[in-house]
Amino acid sequence: MATAYISTPLGSAKLEGDENGLNTVTVLEQDEPESKIIPDVLIDAAYQLNEYFEGKRQNFDLLLNPEGTEFQKKVWSLLSEIPYGKTLSYLELSRRLGDVKAIRAVASANGKNPLWIIIPCHRVIGSDGSLTGYAGGLHRKKWLLNHESPSRQQSLF
């Protein structure tokens, strides 16, 4: 498994993957030095993430290989369908999965998303429009949603 560290406006991000695809993108609580050499299997991911933060990319075109249960992968697939600049509630995500009673399981799968930003779990909010738990911290979720907002001069939250 190849590893690289990149700098983002939200802190250091750790990228891991191999020839089968990108396995994880994690935001770190402590900064790491940016990798001087990015392994070949991670170059596209690093490049596309940088474009995202520069406001030049709204969709990712990468080979993904996250590890998780079949249920988690179904949830992550649904998360990937949430358009840039849009949000969806946990309840609506459960509905799309076909079981509104699975809301807690959906929230749990969302929290275990191994591909920060690439699979946009930050776009899931509470039914009342509130910011709810985010593995990377609510301050990062707020930043990401504002970054993707069509009118960036105003804060969504």
Side-chain angles (χ1 to χ4, degrees):
M1 185 79 56
T3 302
Y5 296 92
I6 63 169
S7 296
T8 78
L10 297 172
S12 293
K14 180 180 180 182
L15 288 63
E16 295 179 297
D18 57 26
E19 63 279 348
N20 296 315
L22 188 61
N23 187 262
T24 62
V25 176
T26 310
V27 63
L28 305 174
E29 290 305 315
Q30 294 186 358
D31 284 338
E32 287 286 330
E34 195 163 34
S35 298
K36 292 184 193 296
I37 299 173
I38 306 286
D40 288 345
V41 295
L42 299 175
I43 287 175
D44 284 344
Y47 182 78
Q48 290 185 33
L49 280 164
N50 283 324
E51 283 185 326
Y52 169 85
F53 283 112
E54 292 170 358
K56 298 176 183 174
R57 176 171 292 276
Q58 295 184 0
N59 299 298
F60 295 93
D61 181 23
L62 298 165
L63 178 61
L64 305 179
N65 190 27
E67 292 181 15
T69 66
E70 287 306 311
F71 179 79
Q72 289 170 333
K73 289 178 181 181
K74 283 181 187 177
V75 172
W76 300 337
S77 178
L78 286 174
L79 291 172
S80 296
E81 296 173 8
I82 305 171
Y84 181 96
K86 302 291 181 188
T87 58
L88 197 68
S89 72
Y90 287 100
L91 181 59
E92 181 58 30
L93 198 57
S94 298
R95 277 192 191 114
R96 291 184 184 187
L97 191 64
D99 185 359
V100 294
K101 294 179 183 173
I103 192 166
R104 288 183 186 206
V106 166
S108 176
N110 193 45
K112 291 182 174 122
N113 169 19
L115 291 165
W116 180 62
I117 298 177
I118 308 290
I119 297 176
C121 57
H122 60 278
R123 296 179 188 154
V124 182
I125 59 174
S127 294
D128 62 358
S130 64
L131 290 183
T132 54
Y134 183 62
L138 288 180
H139 67 288
R140 288 188 180 106
K141 184 172 188 166
K142 180 179 177 181
W143 189 97
L144 291 166
L145 291 174
N146 284 331
H147 176 70
E148 294 182 3
S149 173
S151 57
R152 288 193 196 163
Q153 66 271 19
Q154 297 177 5
S155 175
L156 288 174
F157 304 98

